[in-house]
Amino acid sequence: MLTLAEGHRLFEREAYPADRNLYDELATNHRPVALFIGCSDARVVPEVITSTRPGELFVIRTAGNLVPPHGSVDAIAASIEYAVEVLEVPEIVVCGHSACGAMTSLALDHDLSMLPTVAGWLATAGHKRGDRALSDQEAVAQAVHANVVRQLVNIAEYPSVRKRLTAGHLTLAGWIHDIGTGRIDIVAPK
Ligand SMILES: [Zn+2]
């Protein structure tokens, strides 16, 4: 595997010259076609799973693809507001995924006492323990699904999002990406 610096030298040598016109255009234009909110997990790469190119996706990645409830002032809320109000993205996707470490720790009640910041962050997900008769795998899948539904509710309550949804200028969708198969399941907003 290349180091990041070696990878960048390769980009400068091969990928950049091949797309020189695109980068010339992007140097002064920022018009993404969607806001993608996904998990920080390295295995779920938004541009790869959506076949998008530089300039097309405005991306927010957080542990567990959480969207803080409206009212918090943080980097995520600011990025959502900017994407919707200034960039006027016509589409938002909130994407969860299989084998999510964040959702696994919530679904299976992992001890996070050594990770107080992670514990505090995941507490904002509002996860409620599901049916205890479920297998671990089923409990995690249920948590992943319920979490995407909750984040769709949260983001729809942002005034900027609500305004453009009501006006019909924005669509909102929930996805669950299965890492092993590459499939996407659509999660209907409530
Ligand atoms: Zn994850």
Side-chain angles (χ1 to χ4, degrees):
M1 183 187 155
L2 301 177
T3 65
L4 296 188
E6 288 167 345
H8 178 251
R9 282 195 287 277
L10 182 62
F11 166 79
E12 277 190 312
R13 209 167 52 238
E14 296 185 6
Y16 176 80
D19 276 327
R20 178 63 198 262
N21 290 343
L22 171 64
Y23 290 109
D24 275 348
E25 166 77 12
L26 293 179
T28 53
N29 289 291
H30 187 202
R31 276 276 161 229
V33 296
L35 164 60
F36 186 102
I37 301 177
C39 185
S40 301
D41 193 297
R43 299 166 295 178
V44 183
V45 183
E47 292 81 358
V48 172
I49 66 173
T50 60
S51 304
T52 46
R53 312 206 63 213
E56 293 181 339
L57 279 193
F58 193 86
V59 176
I60 301 171
R61 294 176 75 174
T62 69
N65 45 274
L66 303 187
V67 176
H70 168 61
S72 62
V73 177
D74 57 35
I76 301 160
S79 298
I80 291 168
E81 189 175 87
Y82 184 75
V84 173
E85 290 283 4
V86 178
L87 300 176
E88 300 182 330
V89 291
E91 180 179 7
I92 298 176
V93 167
V94 176
C95 183
H97 67 97
S98 62
C100 180
M103 291 306 114
T104 299
S105 68
L106 289 177
L108 305 184
D109 285 332
H110 286 174
D111 177 10
L112 296 175
S113 55
M114 296 297 288
L115 300 169
T117 309
V118 173
W121 170 246
L122 294 184
T124 68
H127 176 71
K128 292 183 185 66
R129 171 87 198 192
D131 182 350
R132 289 186 183 270
L134 296 178
S135 68
D136 286 357
Q137 194 178 10
E138 289 167 337
V140 171
Q142 187 185 64
V144 168
H145 186 278
N147 183 52
V148 170
V149 171
R150 268 192 308 274
Q151 308 320 314
L152 290 172
V153 170
N154 282 354
I155 198 169
E157 289 173 355
Y158 281 59
S160 54
V161 173
R162 187 200 303 258
K163 184 176 70 181
R164 290 185 67 80
L165 280 173
T166 304
H169 295 150
L170 180 64
T171 62
L172 181 58
W175 290 5
I176 294 173
H177 173 62
D178 186 280
I179 294 170
T181 65
R183 282 179 49 93
I184 296 283
D185 285 332
I186 304 296
V187 177
K190 259 187 182 171

